[in-house]
Amino acid sequence: QAIDEVVVDLASFITPTLVVLDGTRLLMSNGPTGGSPTDVVPGHVVVAGTDQVAIDAYGTRLLGLSLDDVSYLEKARIAGLGETDWTQLALFKEITI
């Protein structure tokens, strides 16, 4: 399975007008189909934007991952689907809850 390519292909067909990342609770291990309450930690953040790649790149930070750990992000950036460096976005604002 070439899941990275599949994710990039899907992202190229669908251009969202708004992307929301709910990081209020983070499943840190045994996901996405497994896990237990002990695998969940509070995240206290919600992120919204129009750049689906930037939002996912931000999410890697919440999970303690680097961009190298999530290879579809660089493939999506190269395909022109968004920016992996979310810190360079002009209107980016992090809201902690």
Side-chain angles (χ1 to χ4, degrees):
Q1 295 181 12
I3 191 68
D4 292 324
E5 287 80 13
V6 171
V7 170
V8 173
D9 287 344
L10 179 61
S12 69
F13 289 114
I14 301 170
T15 304
T17 55
L18 180 65
V19 180
V20 178
L21 181 150
D22 180 351
T24 55
R25 295 171 37 128
L26 307 171
L27 182 60
M28 300 304 289
S29 60
N30 300 314
T33 59
S36 71
T38 59
D39 298 323
V40 177
V41 299
H44 303 292
V45 66
V46 174
V47 179
T50 57
D51 185 328
Q52 59 189 332
V53 177
I55 299 297
D56 273 10
Y58 180 87
T60 63
R61 180 174 148 280
L62 294 175
L63 297 173
L65 301 172
S66 74
L67 293 178
D68 294 333
D69 295 323
V70 186
S71 60
Y72 76 84
L73 291 173
E74 182 61 15
K75 293 175 191 281
R77 186 194 66 74
I78 291 168
L81 299 175
E83 180 56 57
T84 53
D85 187 0
W86 52 269
T87 63
Q88 298 304 309
L89 298 178
L91 298 176
F92 185 84
K93 179 172 173 75
E94 180 178 15
I95 300 172
T96 303
I97 54 172

